[in-house]
Amino acid sequence: MPTEPLVGDDRVVHTVVAKRAHQIPERPPLRLAVGEHVEVGERDREWPEFVFVTASHGSGWVPARHLSASSGTAVVQTPYDTTELPTQHGDVLEVLAEDLTSGWLWCRGPGGDEGWVPAKTVEDTS
């Protein structure tokens, strides 16, 4: 299974429905490229796979396994996009990639926008 968003990929893994709304953070999304240097900060308590990183062009939460180190200065080893998709209860979403280790799904919403959605906020439609 993919561990990174398949931005632009039209492959639908399956369809889910939002069982509760997901609000996105106010900070702009961070898109990291392989080889980029970041400063690694705290580990998230709710989502323990994630660490807060600061890059030259922004900051955001990234799975630690995508980095060369889990603290201090690290190098991005896997490209990552922190874009989250806001959802409302009842939204039907197409799952394009799954990161079940981290507990998030890369989804396409009813309006065509894409981003990460917490797996715990959705349920399968079947």
Side-chain angles (χ1 to χ4, degrees):
M1 283 184 211
T3 59
E4 59 200 33
L6 300 174
V7 179
D9 189 342
D10 290 328
R11 184 176 61 91
V12 175
V13 176
H14 58 97
T15 305
V16 295
V17 63
K19 60 183 180 182
R20 65 178 191 256
H22 173 64
Q23 300 302 316
I24 62 171
E26 291 186 24
R27 75 180 156 275
L30 177 63
R31 292 173 182 90
L32 297 172
V34 171
E36 199 169 336
H37 288 79
V38 296
E39 288 300 317
V40 181
E42 67 182 306
R43 186 170 291 271
D44 191 281
R45 291 182 186 179
E46 181 181 2
W47 305 98
E49 295 292 323
F50 286 84
V51 291
F52 193 77
V53 301
T54 302
S56 62
H57 55 284
S59 58
W61 294 97
V62 175
R65 69 180 183 283
H66 294 309
L67 308 172
S68 65
S70 59
S71 63
T73 300
V75 177
V76 176
Q77 296 179 319
T78 304
Y80 196 77
D81 181 349
T82 68
T83 300
E84 292 183 38
L85 181 67
T87 63
Q88 298 299 318
H89 179 268
D91 283 352
V92 176
L93 310 170
E94 297 175 324
V95 177
L96 304 179
E98 298 176 322
D99 182 356
L100 300 179
T101 302
S102 297
W104 289 73
L105 306 170
W106 184 266
C107 297
R108 181 181 301 131
D113 292 337
E114 295 181 10
W116 291 109
V117 174
K120 67 183 181 182
T121 66
V122 301
E123 58 189 9
D124 285 330
T125 56
S126 51

